Protein backbone atom coordinates (compact mmCIF):
# COMPACT_ATOMS: atom_id res chain seq x y z
CA UNK A 1 0.00 0.00 0.00
CA UNK A 2 1.11 3.57 -0.64
CA UNK A 3 2.57 5.58 2.23
CA UNK A 4 -0.04 6.51 4.81
CA UNK A 5 -1.95 9.76 4.34
CA UNK A 6 -3.59 10.84 7.58
CA UNK A 7 -6.61 13.03 8.23
CA UNK A 8 -4.95 15.40 10.68
CA UNK A 9 -7.79 17.88 11.21
CA UNK A 10 -11.28 18.82 10.08
CA UNK A 11 -13.45 21.90 10.48
CA UNK A 12 -16.73 23.37 9.29
CA UNK A 13 -18.69 26.57 9.25
CA UNK A 14 -22.29 25.55 10.06
CA UNK A 15 -24.40 25.23 6.93
CA UNK A 16 -27.37 27.53 6.50
CA UNK A 17 -28.39 31.00 5.38
CA UNK A 18 -25.85 33.73 6.14
CA UNK A 19 -26.90 36.88 4.34
CA UNK A 20 -24.39 39.07 6.18
CA UNK A 21 -21.41 36.72 5.81
CA UNK A 22 -18.97 36.76 2.91
CA UNK A 23 -17.08 33.87 1.39
CA UNK A 24 -14.07 35.00 3.39
CA UNK A 25 -16.11 34.83 6.60
CA UNK A 26 -17.20 31.26 5.87
CA UNK A 27 -13.67 30.13 4.97
CA UNK A 28 -12.14 31.81 8.00
CA UNK A 29 -14.24 29.70 10.38
CA UNK A 30 -13.90 26.35 8.60
CA UNK A 31 -10.22 26.78 7.77
CA UNK A 32 -9.08 27.87 11.21
CA UNK A 33 -11.12 25.15 12.88
CA UNK A 34 -9.42 22.53 10.71
CA UNK A 35 -5.96 23.93 11.46
CA UNK A 36 -6.68 24.04 15.20
CA UNK A 37 -8.03 20.51 15.05
CA UNK A 38 -4.78 19.40 13.42
CA UNK A 39 -2.69 21.30 15.98
CA UNK A 40 -0.92 23.39 13.34
CA UNK A 41 -0.83 26.98 12.14
CA UNK A 42 -1.33 28.56 8.70
CA UNK A 43 2.41 28.59 8.01
CA UNK A 44 2.56 24.80 8.35
CA UNK A 45 0.36 24.31 5.28
CA UNK A 46 2.48 23.54 2.22
CA UNK A 47 -0.23 23.32 -0.45
CA UNK A 48 -3.96 23.99 -0.81
CA UNK A 49 -6.72 22.59 -3.02
CA UNK A 50 -9.64 25.00 -2.92
CA UNK A 51 -13.14 23.99 -4.09
CA UNK A 52 -15.85 26.41 -5.19
CA UNK A 53 -18.45 26.14 -7.94
CA UNK A 54 -20.49 29.33 -8.12
CA UNK A 55 -18.58 32.37 -6.86
CA UNK A 56 -17.88 33.44 -10.43
CA UNK A 57 -21.58 33.56 -11.31
CA UNK A 58 -22.93 34.69 -7.93
CA UNK A 59 -20.24 36.88 -6.38
CA UNK A 60 -18.28 37.83 -9.53
CA UNK A 61 -15.03 36.37 -8.15
CA UNK A 62 -13.33 34.35 -10.86
CA UNK A 63 -9.95 32.73 -11.47
CA UNK A 64 -8.27 33.13 -8.04
CA UNK A 65 -11.08 32.32 -5.62
CA UNK A 66 -8.93 30.24 -3.28
CA UNK A 67 -6.14 32.78 -3.09
CA UNK A 68 -8.56 35.59 -2.22
CA UNK A 69 -10.22 33.80 0.69
CA UNK A 70 -7.14 32.08 2.11
CA UNK A 71 -5.26 35.35 2.59
CA UNK A 72 -7.72 36.03 5.40
CA UNK A 73 -6.32 33.16 7.48
CA UNK A 74 -2.66 33.76 6.72
CA UNK A 75 -2.13 31.16 4.00
CA UNK A 76 -0.01 32.81 1.30
CA UNK A 77 3.02 31.99 -0.79
CA UNK A 78 2.23 28.29 -1.19
CA UNK A 79 0.63 26.62 -4.22
CA UNK A 80 -3.15 27.15 -4.23
CA UNK A 81 -4.97 25.07 -6.82
CA UNK A 82 -8.55 26.08 -7.54
CA UNK A 83 -10.88 23.12 -8.10
CA UNK A 84 -14.23 23.36 -9.87
CA UNK A 85 -16.05 20.06 -10.35
CA UNK A 86 -19.74 20.79 -9.70
CA UNK A 87 -21.10 19.16 -6.54
CA UNK A 88 -18.07 16.84 -6.44
CA UNK A 89 -15.61 19.72 -6.09
CA UNK A 90 -14.93 19.23 -2.38
CA UNK A 91 -14.16 15.53 -2.69
CA UNK A 92 -12.08 16.25 -5.79
CA UNK A 93 -9.99 18.72 -3.78
CA UNK A 94 -9.52 15.97 -1.19
CA UNK A 95 -8.50 13.46 -3.86
CA UNK A 96 -5.93 15.89 -5.28
CA UNK A 97 -4.54 16.57 -1.81
CA UNK A 98 -4.12 12.83 -1.23
CA UNK A 99 -2.26 12.50 -4.53
CA UNK A 100 -0.03 15.47 -3.72
CA UNK A 101 1.12 13.81 -0.50
CA UNK A 102 1.52 10.36 -2.04
CA UNK A 103 3.58 11.84 -4.87
CA UNK A 104 5.97 13.53 -2.46
CA UNK A 105 5.00 17.05 -3.56
CA UNK A 106 3.98 18.07 -0.02
CA UNK A 107 3.69 16.73 3.52
CA UNK A 108 0.82 18.87 4.81
CA UNK A 109 -2.04 19.87 2.51
CA UNK A 110 -5.30 21.71 3.14
CA UNK A 111 -8.43 20.83 1.17
CA UNK A 112 -11.12 23.46 1.61
CA UNK A 113 -14.52 24.03 0.02
CA UNK A 114 -16.90 26.96 0.27
CA UNK A 115 -20.08 28.27 -1.30
CA UNK A 116 -22.47 31.16 -0.82
CA UNK A 117 -25.69 30.36 -2.69
CA UNK A 118 -28.03 32.84 -1.02
CA UNK A 119 -28.06 36.01 -3.13
CA UNK A 120 -30.69 38.70 -3.64
CA UNK A 121 -32.00 37.16 -6.87
CA UNK A 122 -32.58 33.43 -6.35
CA UNK A 123 -33.00 32.88 -10.10
CA UNK A 124 -29.27 33.53 -10.50
CA UNK A 125 -28.54 30.60 -8.18
CA UNK A 126 -30.91 28.36 -10.12
CA UNK A 127 -29.23 29.37 -13.38
CA UNK A 128 -25.85 28.55 -11.86
CA UNK A 129 -27.10 25.10 -10.86
CA UNK A 130 -28.40 24.48 -14.36
CA UNK A 131 -24.91 25.10 -15.72
CA UNK A 132 -23.66 21.90 -14.02
CA UNK A 133 -24.62 20.04 -17.21
CA UNK A 134 -23.95 20.18 -20.94
CA UNK A 135 -25.70 23.42 -21.91
CA UNK A 136 -25.72 22.40 -25.56
CA UNK A 137 -28.16 19.72 -24.45
CA UNK A 138 -30.13 21.27 -21.58
CA UNK A 139 -30.01 25.05 -22.06
CA UNK A 140 -33.48 26.54 -21.84
CA UNK A 141 -35.19 23.27 -20.92
CA UNK A 142 -35.39 24.07 -17.21
CA UNK A 143 -34.00 20.63 -16.35
CA UNK A 144 -31.87 20.47 -13.22
CA UNK A 145 -30.64 17.61 -11.10
CA UNK A 146 -33.90 17.54 -9.16
CA UNK A 147 -35.72 16.43 -12.31
CA UNK A 148 -33.02 13.87 -13.08
CA UNK A 149 -33.44 12.28 -9.64
CA UNK A 150 -37.21 12.38 -10.10
CA UNK A 151 -37.01 10.51 -13.40
CA UNK A 152 -34.77 7.83 -11.91
CA UNK A 153 -37.09 7.32 -8.96
CA UNK A 154 -40.19 7.13 -11.17
CA UNK A 155 -38.66 4.13 -12.93
CA UNK A 156 -38.15 2.42 -9.58
CA UNK A 157 -41.66 3.20 -8.42
CA UNK A 158 -42.95 1.74 -11.66
CA UNK A 159 -41.12 -1.57 -11.20
CA UNK A 160 -42.25 -1.80 -7.58
CA UNK A 161 -38.78 -2.08 -6.03
CA UNK A 162 -39.39 1.05 -3.94
CA UNK A 163 -42.55 2.79 -2.74
CA UNK A 164 -43.55 6.38 -2.13
CA UNK A 165 -43.56 5.51 1.56
CA UNK A 166 -39.87 4.55 1.24
CA UNK A 167 -39.15 7.96 -0.28
CA UNK A 168 -40.85 9.65 2.65
CA UNK A 169 -39.36 7.48 5.40
CA UNK A 170 -35.77 7.87 4.20
CA UNK A 171 -36.36 11.64 4.30
CA UNK A 172 -37.68 11.29 7.85
CA UNK A 173 -34.48 9.47 8.80
CA UNK A 174 -32.28 12.11 7.21
CA UNK A 175 -34.04 14.93 9.04
CA UNK A 176 -33.90 13.04 12.33
CA UNK A 177 -30.12 12.72 11.95
CA UNK A 178 -29.78 16.34 10.90
CA UNK A 179 -31.70 17.43 13.99
CA UNK A 180 -28.81 15.96 16.03
CA UNK A 181 -26.14 17.78 14.01
CA UNK A 182 -25.16 21.30 15.15
CA UNK A 183 -23.64 21.97 11.71
CA UNK A 184 -26.83 21.10 9.79
CA UNK A 185 -28.93 23.61 7.89
CA UNK A 186 -32.26 21.98 8.81
CA UNK A 187 -32.24 20.83 12.43
CA UNK A 188 -35.88 19.78 12.61
CA UNK A 189 -37.62 16.42 12.59
CA UNK A 190 -40.47 15.69 10.20
CA UNK A 191 -43.09 12.99 9.78
CA UNK A 192 -43.71 10.88 6.70
CA UNK A 193 -47.06 12.60 6.28
CA UNK A 194 -45.42 16.03 6.33
CA UNK A 195 -42.93 14.88 3.71
CA UNK A 196 -45.58 13.47 1.40
CA UNK A 197 -47.84 16.49 1.79
CA UNK A 198 -45.12 19.08 1.18
CA UNK A 199 -45.05 20.87 -2.16
CA UNK A 200 -44.22 18.73 -5.20
CA UNK A 201 -40.91 19.75 -6.79
CA UNK A 202 -40.36 17.07 -9.46
CA UNK A 203 -42.71 14.14 -9.09
CA UNK A 204 -42.31 12.00 -6.99
CA UNK A 205 -39.98 14.36 -5.11
CA UNK A 206 -41.51 16.79 -2.64
CA UNK A 207 -39.95 19.80 -0.94
CA UNK A 208 -38.94 17.98 2.26
CA UNK A 209 -37.09 15.32 0.24
CA UNK A 210 -34.83 17.88 -1.45
CA UNK A 211 -31.66 19.74 -0.54
CA UNK A 212 -32.03 23.50 -0.60
CA UNK A 213 -29.96 26.58 -1.40
CA UNK A 214 -27.26 26.83 1.26
CA UNK A 215 -24.17 28.74 2.44
CA UNK A 216 -21.26 27.03 4.17
CA UNK A 217 -17.64 25.87 4.21
CA UNK A 218 -15.72 22.75 5.21
CA UNK A 219 -12.02 21.92 5.42
CA UNK A 220 -9.74 18.91 5.91
CA UNK A 221 -6.02 18.93 6.75
CA UNK A 222 -4.15 15.94 5.34
CA UNK A 223 -0.61 14.99 6.34
CA UNK A 224 1.95 12.35 5.53
CA UNK A 225 2.04 9.74 8.28
CA UNK A 226 4.54 10.61 11.01
CA UNK A 227 5.07 14.24 9.94
CA UNK A 228 2.90 15.87 12.60
CA UNK A 229 3.17 15.24 16.36
CA UNK A 230 1.15 12.26 17.56
CA UNK A 231 -2.28 13.19 18.89
CA UNK A 232 -4.09 11.66 21.85
CA UNK A 233 -7.12 11.14 19.61
CA UNK A 234 -7.58 8.04 17.46
CA UNK A 235 -5.70 8.44 14.19
CA UNK A 236 -7.66 8.34 10.94
CA UNK A 237 -5.98 7.43 7.66
CA UNK A 238 -7.03 7.50 4.04
CA UNK A 239 -7.53 3.89 3.03
CA UNK A 240 -8.52 4.60 -0.59
CA UNK A 241 -9.26 7.49 -2.92
CA UNK A 242 -10.90 6.87 -6.31
CA UNK A 243 -12.23 9.32 -8.90
CA UNK A 244 -14.12 9.14 -12.17
CA UNK A 245 -16.00 11.21 -14.71
CA UNK A 246 -19.30 10.88 -16.52
CA UNK A 247 -20.03 8.83 -19.60
CA UNK A 248 -22.92 8.05 -21.89
CA UNK A 249 -24.86 5.18 -20.42
CA UNK A 250 -25.46 2.03 -22.43
CA UNK A 251 -29.21 1.90 -23.17
CA UNK A 252 -29.06 -1.80 -22.32
CA UNK A 253 -27.91 -0.92 -18.79
CA UNK A 254 -24.68 -1.38 -16.91
CA UNK A 255 -22.82 -0.10 -13.86
CA UNK A 256 -23.07 3.56 -12.91
CA UNK A 257 -20.17 5.92 -12.33
CA UNK A 258 -20.60 5.56 -8.56
CA UNK A 259 -20.56 1.77 -8.91
CA UNK A 260 -17.34 1.77 -10.95
CA UNK A 261 -15.65 4.29 -8.68
CA UNK A 262 -16.57 2.32 -5.57
CA UNK A 263 -15.15 -0.85 -7.10
CA UNK A 264 -11.83 0.92 -7.65
CA UNK A 265 -11.82 2.21 -4.08
CA UNK A 266 -12.54 -1.24 -2.64
CA UNK A 267 -9.77 -2.72 -4.78
CA UNK A 268 -7.29 -0.08 -3.59
CA UNK A 269 -8.16 -0.77 0.04
CA UNK A 270 -8.29 -4.54 -0.31
CA UNK A 271 -11.76 -4.68 1.25
CA UNK A 272 -15.36 -5.08 0.14
CA UNK A 273 -18.60 -3.20 0.79
CA UNK A 274 -19.35 -5.57 3.66
CA UNK A 275 -16.39 -4.10 5.57
CA UNK A 276 -17.83 -0.56 5.63
CA UNK A 277 -19.26 0.49 9.01
CA UNK A 278 -20.66 3.94 8.20
CA UNK A 279 -21.18 5.93 5.00
CA UNK A 280 -21.99 9.41 3.75
CA UNK A 281 -23.55 9.37 0.27
CA UNK A 282 -24.54 12.10 -2.15
CA UNK A 283 -28.27 12.37 -1.52
CA UNK A 284 -29.04 15.76 -3.04
CA UNK A 285 -32.53 14.31 -2.83
CA UNK A 286 -32.85 12.18 0.31
CA UNK A 287 -34.33 9.15 -1.53
CA UNK A 288 -31.14 8.92 -3.61
CA UNK A 289 -29.73 7.07 -0.60
CA UNK A 290 -31.80 4.07 -1.71
CA UNK A 291 -30.13 4.08 -5.14
CA UNK A 292 -26.60 4.63 -3.86
CA UNK A 293 -26.91 1.79 -1.34
CA UNK A 294 -27.18 -0.49 -4.38
CA UNK A 295 -24.49 1.24 -6.47
CA UNK A 296 -21.97 1.05 -3.62
CA UNK A 297 -22.60 -2.65 -3.10
CA UNK A 298 -24.25 -2.39 0.30
CA UNK A 299 -27.19 -4.42 -1.01
CA UNK A 300 -28.03 -6.23 -4.27
CA UNK A 301 -29.43 -4.28 -7.24
CA UNK A 302 -33.11 -3.56 -6.80
CA UNK A 303 -32.95 -4.13 -3.03
CA UNK A 304 -32.34 -0.55 -1.84
CA UNK A 305 -35.88 -0.18 -0.53
CA UNK A 306 -35.81 -3.49 1.30
CA UNK A 307 -32.36 -2.70 2.73
CA UNK A 308 -33.64 0.61 4.10
CA UNK A 309 -36.80 -0.94 5.55
CA UNK A 310 -34.66 -3.48 7.42
CA UNK A 311 -33.31 -0.65 9.57
CA UNK A 312 -29.72 -1.27 8.44
CA UNK A 313 -29.10 2.39 7.53
CA UNK A 314 -30.35 3.90 10.80
CA UNK A 315 -27.92 5.31 13.37
CA UNK A 316 -28.17 2.06 15.34
CA UNK A 317 -28.25 -0.15 12.24
CA UNK A 318 -25.61 -2.43 10.79
CA UNK A 319 -24.51 0.20 8.22
CA UNK A 320 -25.63 3.73 9.13
CA UNK A 321 -25.90 5.98 6.06
CA UNK A 322 -25.74 9.77 6.31
CA UNK A 323 -25.54 10.17 10.10
CA UNK A 324 -24.91 13.87 9.42
CA UNK A 325 -28.39 14.23 7.93
CA UNK A 326 -27.11 14.07 4.37
CA UNK A 327 -27.40 16.82 1.79
CA UNK A 328 -31.15 17.25 2.20
CA UNK A 329 -30.88 17.99 5.93
CA UNK A 330 -27.26 18.93 6.71
CA UNK A 331 -27.23 21.12 3.62
CA UNK A 332 -25.57 21.26 0.21
CA UNK A 333 -23.37 24.32 -0.38
CA UNK A 334 -22.01 22.84 -3.56
CA UNK A 335 -18.24 23.36 -3.27
CA UNK A 336 -18.16 22.34 0.40
CA UNK A 337 -20.35 19.23 0.39
CA UNK A 338 -17.75 16.55 -0.27
CA UNK A 339 -15.48 17.85 2.48
CA UNK A 340 -18.39 18.07 4.93
CA UNK A 341 -18.97 14.36 4.33
CA UNK A 342 -15.33 13.63 5.17
CA UNK A 343 -15.42 15.84 8.26
CA UNK A 344 -18.48 13.95 9.51
CA UNK A 345 -16.86 10.57 8.93
CA UNK A 346 -13.69 11.68 10.72
CA UNK A 347 -15.75 12.67 13.76
CA UNK A 348 -17.57 9.33 13.58
CA UNK A 349 -14.32 7.35 13.44
CA UNK A 350 -12.85 9.30 16.33
CA UNK A 351 -16.01 8.89 18.41
CA UNK A 352 -16.64 12.64 18.44
CA UNK A 353 -20.05 12.82 16.71
CA UNK A 354 -22.11 13.48 19.84
CA UNK A 355 -25.80 12.52 19.73
CA UNK A 356 -25.46 11.09 16.21
CA UNK A 357 -22.48 8.85 17.01
CA UNK A 358 -22.76 5.39 15.45
CA UNK A 359 -21.55 2.20 17.05
CA UNK A 360 -17.75 1.70 17.04
CA UNK A 361 -17.01 2.28 13.32
CA UNK A 362 -13.63 1.27 11.90
CA UNK A 363 -14.06 1.88 8.16
CA UNK A 364 -16.03 4.75 6.62
CA UNK A 365 -17.01 5.52 3.03
CA UNK A 366 -17.74 8.89 1.42
CA UNK A 367 -19.37 9.06 -2.04
CA UNK A 368 -19.77 12.45 -3.67
CA UNK A 369 -21.06 13.09 -7.22
CA UNK A 370 -21.50 16.24 -9.28
CA UNK A 371 -23.10 17.53 -12.45
CA UNK A 372 -24.67 15.23 -15.01
CA UNK A 373 -24.20 14.08 -18.57
CA UNK A 374 -27.20 12.48 -20.25
CA UNK A 375 -28.34 10.64 -17.14
CA UNK A 376 -24.96 9.99 -15.50
CA UNK A 377 -23.07 12.12 -12.99
CA UNK A 378 -20.33 14.17 -14.62
CA UNK A 379 -17.91 13.61 -11.73
CA UNK A 380 -17.72 11.14 -8.87
CA UNK A 381 -15.32 10.41 -6.01
CA UNK A 382 -15.31 7.62 -3.46
CA UNK A 383 -13.02 7.77 -0.43
CA UNK A 384 -12.46 5.23 2.32
CA UNK A 385 -11.18 6.21 5.77
CA UNK A 386 -9.95 3.93 8.55
CA UNK A 387 -9.71 4.34 12.32
CA UNK A 388 -6.25 3.11 13.34
CA UNK A 389 -6.84 2.54 17.06
CA UNK A 390 -9.03 -0.35 18.24
CA UNK A 391 -12.18 0.61 20.13
CA UNK A 392 -12.08 -0.18 23.85
Amino acid sequence: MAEDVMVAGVGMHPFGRYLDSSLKDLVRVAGLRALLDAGIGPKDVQMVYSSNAMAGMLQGQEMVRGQTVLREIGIEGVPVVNVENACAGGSTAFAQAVMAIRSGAADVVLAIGFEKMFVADRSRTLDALESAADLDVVAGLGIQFTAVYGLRLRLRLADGSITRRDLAEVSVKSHANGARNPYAQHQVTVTAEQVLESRCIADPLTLLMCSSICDGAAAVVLARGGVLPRSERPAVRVLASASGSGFTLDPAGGPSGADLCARRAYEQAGIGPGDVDVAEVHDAMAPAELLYAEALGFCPPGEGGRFFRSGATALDGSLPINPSGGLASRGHPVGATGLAQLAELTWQLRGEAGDRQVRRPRIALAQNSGGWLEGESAAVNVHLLERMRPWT
Side-chain angles (χ1 to χ4, degrees):
M1 175 175 287
E3 189 171 359
D4 283 345
V5 177
M6 312 302 294
V7 178
V10 296
M12 285 180 61
H13 185 294
F15 288 2
R17 184 180 186 182
Y18 299 101
L19 299 180
D20 296 327
S21 297
S22 67
L23 288 171
K24 292 178 180 179
D25 294 329
L26 302 177
V27 166
R28 185 183 303 113
V29 172
L32 289 177
R33 284 179 173 175
L35 295 177
L36 289 169
D37 193 47
I40 64 174
K43 301 306 180 187
D44 296 310
V45 175
Q46 299 170 349
M47 185 177 290
V48 181
Y49 288 90
S50 170
S51 166
N52 176 271
M54 300 185 183
M57 297 182 72
L58 300 183
Q59 284 79 41
Q61 179 61 66
E62 290 283 11
M63 301 189 188
V64 290
R65 300 171 197 168
Q67 289 88 336
T68 63
V69 296
L70 290 164
R71 297 172 61 210
E72 295 292 303
I73 57 176
I75 297 178
E76 298 179 289
V78 299
V80 175
V81 180
N82 290 290
V83 176
E84 186 174 329
N85 214 10
C87 305
S91 61
T92 302
F94 183 92
Q96 295 299 306
V98 170
M99 284 197 287
I101 293 174
R102 287 179 173 171
S103 73
D107 291 328
V108 180
V109 182
L110 174 68
I112 192 161
F114 51 95
E115 209 74 67
K116 185 167 176 58
M117 299 172 70
F118 278 104
V119 294
D121 182 356
R122 185 170 297 189
S123 67
R124 293 174 56 217
T125 303
L126 297 177
D127 287 344
L129 289 168
E130 184 181 9
S131 71
D134 186 341
L135 292 180
D136 286 340
V137 177
V138 304
L141 296 180
I143 296 178
Q144 295 179 2
F145 57 85
T146 312
V148 175
Y149 279 105
L151 291 169
R152 289 173 175 169
L153 291 167
R154 284 169 68 91
L155 290 174
R156 299 298 297 274
L157 290 172
D159 69 20
S161 58
I162 59 174
T163 68
R164 287 184 182 267
R165 191 74 184 186
D166 292 333
L167 307 187
E169 292 291 354
V170 73
S171 303
V172 169
K173 178 185 74 78
S174 295
H175 281 274
N177 293 351
R180 297 169 178 250
N181 184 356
Y183 292 97
Q185 179 180 20
H186 302 296
Q187 298 179 35
V188 293
T189 59
V190 297
T191 66
E193 287 68 29
Q194 287 175 315
V195 174
L196 291 170
E197 293 170 5
S198 62
R199 178 165 55 91
C200 181
I201 303 299
D203 188 60
L205 293 168
T206 66
L207 181 64
L208 291 177
M209 298 177 188
C210 303
S211 61
S212 52
I213 290 171
C214 187
D215 303 336
V220 177
V221 175
L222 293 166
R224 187 181 309 280
V227 166
L228 298 181
R230 185 179 298 274
S231 169
E232 294 300 315
R233 296 175 312 202
V236 174
R237 72 168 175 171
V238 180
L239 198 56
S241 175
S243 302
S245 63
F247 52 87
T248 301
L249 288 171
D250 185 337
S256 68
D259 185 336
L260 295 172
C261 204
R263 293 182 195 182
R264 290 196 293 272
Y266 294 139
E267 183 178 359
Q268 281 183 36
I271 65 170
D275 296 304
V276 175
D277 300 305
V278 61
E280 286 279 318
V281 305
H282 191 87
D283 64 332
M285 310 297 134
E289 174 186 315
L290 307 174
L291 308 182
Y292 282 125
E294 299 173 14
L296 298 170
F298 298 151
C299 64
E303 294 293 315
R306 189 190 304 272
F307 185 62
F308 168 74
R309 291 191 294 273
S310 75
T313 66
L315 286 179
D316 60 354
S318 60
L319 204 173
I321 294 180
N322 289 344
S324 70
L327 282 62
S329 181
R330 183 200 61 235
H332 183 27
V334 173
T337 291
L339 290 163
Q341 292 179 323
L342 290 154
E344 173 68 21
L345 293 176
T346 299
W347 289 321
Q348 291 287 347
L349 292 173
R350 289 177 181 169
E352 297 174 351
D355 290 343
R356 64 192 186 282
Q357 179 65 50
V358 307
R359 213 179 312 147
R360 299 163 64 91
R362 185 177 72 88
I363 293 177
L365 179 147
Q367 174 268 324
N368 181 210
S369 299
W372 67 281
L373 296 172
E374 299 185 49
E376 180 56 61
S377 295
V380 61
N381 296 288
V382 173
H383 302 295
L384 290 163
L385 305 181
E386 180 183 24
R387 175 188 167 107
M388 301 296 289
R389 181 190 302 174
W391 288 87
T392 57

